[in-house]
Amino acid sequence: MSALAPHKVGPWGELSALDNPGGLVLVPIPSFAEVMTLVNKGDGPLTEAEFDTAKARAVTIALPQSEAEEFLAPRGPDTETYGDYLAAHAARTAG
């Protein structure tokens, strides 16, 4: 399996499957919350399959931690990375 490289852009599903020895941060473009808002047109909560499909297809860039922080700063202090969003989603849908 190939390793994730800085500044690589692609679908989250592809990038997240790569080895990440450099500890790069996967940053969604646009934010994952915005992606989910576009996907969920108000028809109620997304099914797990709909959520997984949206997550896998979402455009993402791999950035070193310092660049990710700089990139995310204009979005505000409450900006979620995919990891944050996915953890929150898992907590909301558990049990």
Side-chain angles (χ1 to χ4, degrees):
M1 179 182 291
S2 62
L4 189 60
H7 307 114
K8 179 153 179 76
V9 175
W12 183 88
E14 290 178 21
L15 297 186
S16 65
L18 299 174
D19 289 333
N20 188 2
L24 298 172
V25 178
L26 297 180
V27 177
I29 310 166
S31 74
F32 196 53
E34 290 173 291
V35 170
M36 297 314 290
T37 298
L38 293 171
V39 170
N40 186 355
K41 306 223 185 297
D43 300 329
L46 295 176
T47 66
E48 204 62 35
E50 291 169 327
F51 179 87
D52 290 344
T53 298
K55 173 182 71 172
R57 292 180 178 171
V59 177
T60 305
I61 186 169
L63 295 174
Q65 181 68 41
S66 61
E67 290 181 33
E69 290 172 4
E70 183 178 337
F71 186 89
L72 293 169
R75 293 185 184 177
D78 296 326
T79 298
E80 295 176 310
T81 64
Y82 277 133
D84 297 335
Y85 191 91
L86 297 177
H89 175 75
R92 286 191 301 272
T93 59

